[in-house]
Amino acid sequence: MTEAVEQHPLSKYLRAAMMPHIWCSGCGNGIILNAFIQALDELQINLDKLVVVSGIGCIGRAAGYTNVDSFHTTHGRPIAFATGVKLANPELEVVVISGDGDLFAIGGNHFIHAARRNIGIKVICANNFNYGMTGGQVGPTTPLEAFTTTTPYGNIEHPFNLVHLAAAAGATYVARWTTLHVRMLTMSIKKLLQRKGFSFIEVISPCPEIYGRRNRMRTGLEMMEWFKKTAVIANFSDPAKAEINLERIVVGEFVDVQKPTYEELLHNKMAQIMKEGEEG
Amino acid sequence: MTGEKTVLTGVHFMSGDIACAEGAIAAGCRFFAGYPITPATEIAEHIAARMPKIGGIYIQMEDEIASIAAVIGASYAGLKAMTATSGPGFSLMQENIGLAAMTEAPCVIVDVMRGGPSTGQPTLPGQQDVMQAKWGSHGDYEIIALAPSSAQEMFDLTIEAFNLAETYRVPTLVMADEVVAHMWEKVVIPPAEEIRIVNRKKPDMPPEKYMPFMPDDDLVPPMACFGEGFRFHATGLTHDEYGYPRTQSSEAQMRLVQRLCDKIRKNADKIIRVEEQMLDDAEIVVFAYGIVARAALSAVKKARQQGIKAGLVRPITLWPFPEKHVARAAEKAKAIIVPEMNCGQMVREVERAAKGTHVYHIPKLGEEPHTPMEILEFIRRHSK
Ligand SMILES: Cc1ncc(C[n+]2csc(CCOP(=O)(O)OP(=O)(O)O)c2C)c(N)n1
Ligand code: SF4
């Protein structure tokens, strides 16, 4: 006979005191967090050595919900904060979970420079095509002609292709999934956690309450149907050509390469300097 | 480790910036993140050369916003951490100085003041950021700010800044100026064992019992760091003693923000350091800090030679402001003179504390600090 289980098997990964979470029903953020803790569980990550850092926004609350050392920084700055953490203690696994607005508008500079340096931090970006927390304004990923509270006549700004940007800036692992691709996403997060260098996953995530409502997809389900209809997996295709539009969302893994991380180069350099100091 | 010394005990000829860098290293700083800006650049350059030899980290970030963010991250990961900048960079750091105050991250920020506003005068001194030091970030909070007057004090007060930051878990500022940063002077570095070093107080309870923002009697919570098994949360949002957001609770806001202010305000007597010279019978008191205080002291001495009862109040801590010292000096004085390299900033605090005693401001902008003769002229005028 099966015994009644008091607790969810993954509950140790969440902070019960922080529940209920703030996310709307139909929001993709829960799916992303779920995939993340699933990956932690499958890899049996040492939770005492894991740090989750978030910026500001709906998905920014993910740090607080994860039952590990966590820090909810200022808007746009989680990568810069995480850089300090990783360099100060390279033994820590440092994961940034944040929004597209946070990471690529106000924080865009930090993203490209962390990727360029190849600092060993791992970034998971929830891309919901808008600023959810502030009520649905246009952001750097909002598609052309999409409606937001600040583009009431349709967006005229060309959006970033985040996987192309990440690849160009030097990220060593780059992938994109939608929240429909839960299994692939979990697999991808596992890879991300096992990579040494700067690694990046974009997760296309429904924001039915704020973005969907204005763009003819009123429920989370409708947004997931959009993903289902249009997503094509094109692993290791050219990230420059990985488009996102109403007809086609290109997902998959785009980059998986090895190169020395900033921490490795730094510590090698330090060892070399110290050795010369001893000899000289 | 190499034979490289962390504390360069001995007598040196050094610039203020280099002395500041050496002070940081002697204090135990092992993480520096910064972005180049005149007149603070030599701090970064010196640290970049020194850190790798003593096992510390130097990183040049993409901007000052990133620098202070990385410093807070490194502090939470367990290292003593610092950045150094000048006016424009200091402005960029303000939001995250608020984050450091809110999350009680011990860290040191050196602002070598130049003339502003905006890009202003990159190579010339100023004291125009002293109010920004106190009020630069949004919201109510308290910081500690120290004002060195010499290369020696760039060394000594940088150590002091780390000690205060660690004691009170507060961002601590060293408000230097271009002259102090660039002047070369004798600096005496004591033996390592004679340097007082303070380290943050650590939790002595098991992780299940730990509440990261539960203060002790001194209003300062013990600090666990990442990776030590405490698994805590910190946020810039208004939070409770567990670190959990309580953004809708006015009670939580009052309790937290009041404590962040009180931990400095109620400990002010322990924090404040002032140099007082010839105040016993002083009728004319000069209030001056930083490089200007040196000209002021010389002016006060000359005035005494001329039979004028002049004295000096030099705040070493600009913040918290030494109210009591100023009030005490003001009781006996006919006038207080405040030479400052700005159009009037600390003078307002002096006025507040002096309660009725006449306070005169001598503003000075541009190339050089006040000369002793300029200050003496003022002393003479007001002594009549
Ligand atoms: C300096 C600063 N500017 C603006 C804001 C307001 N703000 C809060 S969340 C947010 C947008 C977040 O968007 P995104 O990263 O896409 O996250 P989402 O809420 O969509 O998950 C903004 C602009 C802020 N907190 N700080
Ligand atoms: S506003 Fe959008 S992103 Fe934010 S919780 Fe609601 S659905 Fe999710």
Side-chain angles (χ1 to χ4, degrees):
Chain A
M1 226 180 73
T2 48
E3 263 179 69
V5 192
E6 289 278 313
Q7 288 211 319
H8 189 276
L10 295 180
S11 63
K12 71 167 176 174
Y13 295 97
L14 294 176
R15 281 198 175 98
M18 290 283 238
M19 298 299 141
H21 60 70
I22 64 158
W23 296 326
C24 311
S25 67
C27 177
N29 289 345
I31 300 173
I32 299 172
L33 185 59
N34 187 36
F36 177 61
I37 60 179
Q38 192 72 50
L40 295 180
D41 195 58
E42 286 175 25
L43 289 176
Q44 287 296 302
I45 292 279
N46 178 357
L47 297 182
D48 284 342
K49 297 289 171 201
L50 174 65
V51 180
V52 176
V53 184
S54 286
I56 303 295
C58 298
I59 186 69
R61 297 301 179 99
Y65 298 156
T66 322
N67 190 20
V68 297
D69 285 326
S70 56
F71 201 106
H72 185 214
T73 69
T74 41
H75 186 37
R77 316 303 166 200
I79 289 181
F81 178 93
T83 298
V85 174
K86 184 70 186 170
L87 294 186
N89 186 352
E91 274 181 24
L92 298 174
E93 179 71 78
V94 185
V95 181
V96 170
I97 304 182
S98 214
D100 51 305
D102 185 84
L103 293 169
F104 293 96
I106 188 166
N109 204 28
H110 310 311
F111 183 90
I112 56 175
H113 287 280
R116 171 179 67 82
R117 293 184 191 110
N118 197 25
I119 298 238
I121 59 181
K122 320 296 163 63
V123 180
I124 299 172
C125 170
N127 178 3
N128 59 6
F129 303 120
N130 79 132
Y131 292 178
M133 177 141 279
T134 40
Q137 297 78 23
V138 70
T141 55
T142 307
L144 274 171
E145 290 303 335
F147 296 103
T148 71
T149 53
T150 48
T151 54
Y153 310 109
N155 177 30
I156 55 168
E157 291 188 23
H158 297 284
F160 269 137
N161 170 351
L162 300 183
V163 291
H164 183 34
L165 180 70
T172 57
Y173 178 76
V174 178
R176 175 195 284 151
W177 302 103
T178 78
T179 50
L180 187 75
H181 301 85
V182 190
R183 242 174 288 140
M184 270 86 143
L185 175 60
T186 308
M187 170 278 296
S188 213
I189 295 175
K190 282 167 68 179
K191 278 201 186 172
L192 173 105
L193 292 170
Q194 289 166 302
R195 292 296 173 276
K196 277 192 305 180
F198 185 88
S199 310
F200 174 67
I201 301 176
E202 173 186 9
V203 193
I204 309 292
S205 176
C207 169
E209 272 306 318
I210 309 278
Y211 181 80
R213 206 148 55 88
R214 288 194 175 73
N215 291 283
R216 293 180 298 274
M217 288 173 281
R218 288 184 170 272
T219 62
L221 199 62
E222 277 177 75
M223 296 203 80
M224 294 287 250
E225 269 161 11
W226 168 39
F227 300 161
K228 192 170 167 196
K229 254 197 319 241
T230 59
V232 271
I233 299 178
N235 283 322
F236 301 103
S237 61
D238 181 356
K241 302 207 173 85
E243 71 255 34
I244 298 175
N245 56 42
L246 286 174
E247 283 76 47
R248 200 173 139 86
I249 300 177
V250 179
V251 298
E253 294 177 286
F254 298 95
V255 176
D256 192 353
V257 296
Q258 301 278 354
K259 65 181 172 192
T261 66
Y262 182 92
E263 317 76 273
E264 284 170 348
L265 293 173
L266 179 72
H267 287 282
N268 288 347
K269 181 67 81 183
M270 278 161 71
Q272 184 193 331
I273 293 167
M274 286 194 195
K275 193 154 167 273
E276 279 163 16
E278 264 160 21
E279 286 161 0
Chain B
M1 197 142 305
T2 64
E4 182 78 12
K5 288 205 181 97
T6 52
V7 178
L8 302 183
T9 304
V11 180
H12 302 267
F13 187 56
M14 275 181 178
S15 76
D17 272 344
I18 293 174
C20 173
E22 285 301 333
I25 289 167
C29 174
R30 291 297 176 271
F31 185 90
F32 182 101
Y35 190 79
I37 185 166
T38 307
T41 308
E42 294 89 340
I43 300 175
E45 287 170 347
H46 191 74
I47 292 217
R50 283 274 278 145
M51 279 300 193
K53 297 183 178 176
I54 57 163
I57 308 288
Y58 166 86
I59 182 168
Q60 182 167 313
M61 296 297 287
E62 51 276 12
D63 58 32
E64 289 86 350
I65 302 174
S67 303
I68 179 74
V71 161
I72 301 170
S75 175
Y76 260 88
L79 293 188
K80 290 189 183 180
M82 178 172 97
T83 186
T85 187
S86 184
F90 194 50
S91 294
L92 284 181
M93 287 181 187
Q94 292 301 333
E95 188 198 13
N96 277 341
I97 291 176
L99 177 70
M102 190 63 148
T103 57
E104 302 178 72
C107 57
V108 171
I109 299 125
V110 181
D111 175 24
V112 182
M113 292 181 279
R114 60 194 225 180
S118 191
T119 326
Q121 296 183 299
T123 59
L124 301 182
Q127 295 180 323
Q128 293 173 278
D129 306 348
V130 288
M131 280 293 159
Q132 192 190 10
K134 169 103 173 81
W135 301 111
S137 200
H138 54 283
D140 274 314
Y141 64 105
E142 291 279 344
I143 46 82
I144 298 173
L146 308 174
S149 278
S150 61
Q152 180 69 49
E153 281 194 348
M154 286 291 269
F155 179 84
D156 296 338
L157 295 185
T158 302
I159 295 176
E160 188 66 21
F162 274 98
N163 289 346
L164 290 165
E166 295 280 322
T167 304
Y168 296 103
R169 286 189 65 176
V170 71
T172 300
L173 316 178
V174 176
M175 301 301 291
D177 60 69
E178 185 275 335
V179 180
V180 168
H182 281 162
M183 68 181 1
W184 284 70
E185 288 189 307
K186 181 170 118 176
V187 173
V188 181
I189 299 183
E193 55 286 3
E194 285 172 24
I195 297 176
R196 194 177 80 95
I197 303 286
V198 179
N199 295 317
R200 64 194 67 167
K201 159 172 86 174
K202 302 299 292 179
D204 55 9
M205 63 285 277
E208 322 79 77
K209 293 262 167 63
Y210 179 57
M211 290 164 79
F213 298 97
M214 176 63 87
D216 291 340
D217 289 344
D218 61 358
L219 302 179
V220 183
M223 185 172 180
C225 290
F226 296 155
E228 293 174 349
F230 286 85
R231 296 211 218 153
F232 63 93
H233 182 59
T235 173
L237 291 171
T238 292
H239 48 270
D240 60 18
E241 285 72 11
Y242 287 99
Y244 299 157
R246 291 287 177 262
T247 55
Q248 300 299 315
S249 161
S250 37
E251 197 254 321
Q253 167 77 348
M254 186 70 199
R255 199 164 70 226
L256 173 62
V257 178
Q258 190 68 57
R259 177 176 66 77
L260 295 181
C261 292
D262 281 350
K263 74 177 175 180
I264 305 304
R265 291 180 188 171
K266 294 201 167 150
N267 288 307
D269 287 344
K270 278 188 246 162
I271 299 168
I272 287 171
R273 278 175 58 185
V274 183
E275 180 191 335
E276 296 178 310
Q277 297 263 10
M278 293 164 270
L279 283 184
D280 287 345
D281 58 347
E283 292 174 353
I284 308 291
V285 171
V286 183
F287 175 100
Y289 54 93
I291 191 63
V292 179
R294 291 171 71 163
L297 179 59
S298 158
V300 163
K301 285 183 182 159
K302 286 198 170 72
R304 284 273 167 184
Q305 282 161 9
Q306 298 176 11
I308 302 169
K309 290 177 177 163
L312 175 75
V313 174
R314 174 170 82 97
I316 293 169
T317 33
L318 296 179
W319 308 113
F321 184 76
E323 307 242 356
K324 289 179 192 161
H325 296 79
V326 174
R328 219 180 301 135
E331 266 171 34
K332 283 175 252 167
K334 287 200 289 198
I336 302 185
I337 294 170
V338 184
E340 256 189 308
M341 297 201 72
N342 56 44
C343 296
Q345 295 202 14
M346 291 304 276
V347 64
R348 290 161 171 254
E349 291 297 304
V350 176
E351 276 164 357
R352 243 170 22 88
K355 296 206 177 70
T357 302
H358 284 294
V359 176
Y360 300 93
H361 189 243
I362 320 179
K364 186 143 191 190
L365 297 177
E367 204 172 346
E368 54 189 19
H370 307 65
T371 63
M373 291 318 282
E374 281 169 332
I375 299 170
L376 179 63
E377 220 6 77
F378 245 77
I379 296 176
R380 286 159 59 115
R381 201 184 312 157
H382 292 290
S383 67
K384 284 176 193 140

